[in-house]
Amino acid sequence: MRLSRYFLPVLKENPAEAQIVSHRLMLRAGMIRQQAAGIYSWLPLGYRVLRRIEQIVHEEQARAGHIPLLMPTLQPADLWRESGRYDDYGQEMLRIRDRHDRDMLYGPTNEEMITDIFRAHVESYKQLPLTLYHIQWKFRDEIRPRFGVMRGREFLMKDGYSFDLTREDALHAYNRHMVSYLRTYERMGLTAIPMRAASGPIGGDNTHEFLVLAETGESEVFYDARVPALKLGDRAVDYDDRAQVAAICEEFTSLYARTDETHDAALFEQIPEERRCIGRGIEVGQIFYFGTKYSEAMGATVVTPDGARVPVEMGSHGIGVSRLLGALIEANHDDRGIIWPEGVTPFPVGIVNLKQGDAATDAACEGLYAALAARGLEALYDDREDRAGAKFATMDLIGLPWRITVGPRGLANGVVELTCRRTGESEEMSAEAAVARVAEIYAGR
RNA sequence: CGGAGCGUAGCGCAGCCUGGUAGCGCGCUGGUUUUGGGUACCAGAGGUCGCGAGUUCGAAUCUCGCCGCUCCGACCA
């Protein structure tokens, strides 16, 4: 993408309403625009990252054997009357009436609807296990939206629903989700710690939240220092191997890690003192096993091998997709701007032309741009007539992990400069070498 | 929803107390200059002063009502 033809409305000054760093940077980097309290338009740069995150979520869900579908944002109230939640949910649920005076709502979640789909089409244990998920906009009419996309009213969420015959099967689905979430966050360059959580209004007894450590997090968290160091890495996972999946969950949850809601001071004290950590975290996902709460209420049953009819065992599992943008920036920034992890960056690399209009630098930049494209890497090429300082400041702000700087001085010696956004380290090399290096960095992506 | 504020140009703000033809910085447009970290100068464009009533010869400014937004708290993915 050539910056001269892109739409990147960056701001030099901080908008007054943004209090936390991720909100400020998303506004300044031209990623979002607020349209109402807690409701945002996603401008091209923000939209690219959002889609990238969605893509990673889809890929990891597919790997775990989960099946995508798409349910609507608007739902009929009747489904929610069946489960009893229409009255329970309260003011957070946005209620709408259509022209025929039917009660509708903008979905804050989809348990009722997915249960309706299930009961209509699944009759036998032979069709289990089944996990269906979608990535769809939700609305919760928060009393006080804040922190930009971290606590908006409208938000994009991946929510998945598992259906199993037995409790044991359902717990495997739960574990499978935990492992797939660990992979998902790791690919994004995040350390998200599963923490035992309180069940909240959805109900159920087995639940973990995934928290990204950040000073601006909304929850206080207590954990063993060894937990954030745990990595899934590139080990091979067979999601059908119950023992292996359970062992990974055990590895990631046996050490102490809890939010303030479930914190147990006595247990915490048992950790050696030097490993006791207290911090704050941003919740970016949650998994629940809740059994037959909805299937019983809504008559979602299957026939067992014995010919009996039993309510299906369910769980629901969410990832806050739009919220992840905020969490990623909270965890990856410095005083000059965002620092995207390679996994989620909107563009893999930026090209800065220091002397737009100079035949040699223009040609070198065009060459780099084409060579990167040939390797499947879409660079953001700053081809505007502007000062070097302004171009650097823009690149630093929007946070592309790598930058190739092309100027007459370097070209005279046959080199361009490759700079790492995170470390600030620069290295001079030929244009060909720079392309090769960037391609290598992104080879696994 | 309790408490506290704020709505004046795309962004950040002054002007309001003490009513008299709407300003500053950044950004934007044209030009000159400059060219390896937000350059300098010149000339411009851009505003229903959130909305509606009222007081007044005259309202951004005073009064009343409404709307929107932000912050702290309670609540939440």
Side-chain angles (χ1 to χ4, degrees), chain A residues 319-330:
Chain A
I319 292 180
V321 173
S322 50
R323 160 177 272 220
L324 270 167
L325 278 274
L328 278 158
I329 295 171
E330 290 295 329

Side-chain angles (χ1 to χ4, degrees), chain A residues 27-82:
Chain A
L27 290 167
R28 285 194 53 207
M31 296 176 67
I32 54 171
R33 176 173 175 82
Q34 179 168 317
Q35 306 289 178
I39 298 176
Y40 296 86
S41 287
W42 293 80
L43 305 184
L45 191 76
Y47 186 48
R48 277 185 84 100
V49 181
L50 190 68
R51 282 189 311 185
R52 177 70 193 141
I53 291 172
E54 268 189 276
Q55 184 190 342
I56 291 174
V57 171
H58 276 303
E59 287 173 8
E60 292 304 325
Q61 288 300 299
R63 212 191 285 264
H66 303 160
I67 303 178
L69 49 61
L70 186 61
M71 292 177 272
T73 53
L74 292 178
Q75 306 184 22
D78 285 347
L79 275 180
W80 288 67
R81 292 197 172 101
E82 279 192 61

Side-chain angles (χ1 to χ4, degrees), chain A residues 299-411:
Chain A
T301 59
V302 289
V303 175
T304 68
D306 312 332
R309 187 170 277 277
V310 297
V312 70
E313 292 278 338
M314 292 177 62
S316 76
H317 316 281
I319 292 180
V321 173
S322 50
R323 160 177 272 220
L324 270 167
L325 278 274
L328 278 158
I329 295 171
E330 290 295 329
N332 296 284
H333 69 272
D334 62 17
D335 55 0
R336 288 175 299 160
I338 301 165
I339 307 171
W340 291 115
E342 275 102 2
V344 295
T345 184
F347 296 93
V349 59
I351 301 172
V352 170
N353 185 341
L354 291 177
K355 192 163 186 179
Q356 199 67 40
D358 176 274
T361 56
D362 285 359
C365 288
E366 292 292 339
L368 273 168
Y369 186 71
L372 288 162
R375 303 255 199 158
L377 297 164
E378 185 182 9
L380 183 64
Y381 169 27
D382 192 343
D383 60 340
R384 299 169 306 167
E385 305 275 351
D386 216 337
R387 288 270 305 185
K391 292 188 175 188
F392 290 145
T394 299
M395 281 293 174
D396 288 347
L397 174 63
I398 68 173
L400 307 187
W402 298 92
R403 185 184 81 208
I404 301 175
T405 309
V406 181
R409 219 151 71 194
L411 283 184

Side-chain angles (χ1 to χ4, degrees), chain A residues 221-240:
Chain A
V221 295
F222 304 82
Y223 59 96
D224 187 319
R226 289 184 177 173
V227 179
L230 294 170
K231 291 282 181 286
L232 209 51
D234 50 10
R235 70 179 96 170
V237 177
D238 175 356
Y239 283 102
D240 291 327

Side-chain angles (χ1 to χ4, degrees), chain A residues 158-205:
Chain A
K158 172 264 164 183
D159 44 324
Y161 304 90
S162 58
F163 300 92
D164 290 279
L165 182 60
T166 66
R167 177 186 161 86
E168 187 190 20
D169 294 348
L171 289 175
H172 173 58
Y174 183 88
N175 289 343
R176 204 173 59 228
H177 277 89
M178 182 179 291
V179 175
S180 72
Y181 280 23
L182 290 170
R183 278 192 81 120
T184 302
Y185 297 125
E186 248 182 63
R187 276 189 65 187
M188 293 176 192
L190 282 175
T191 299
I193 303 174
M195 298 192 181
R196 186 181 303 254
S199 60
I202 296 179
D205 48 1

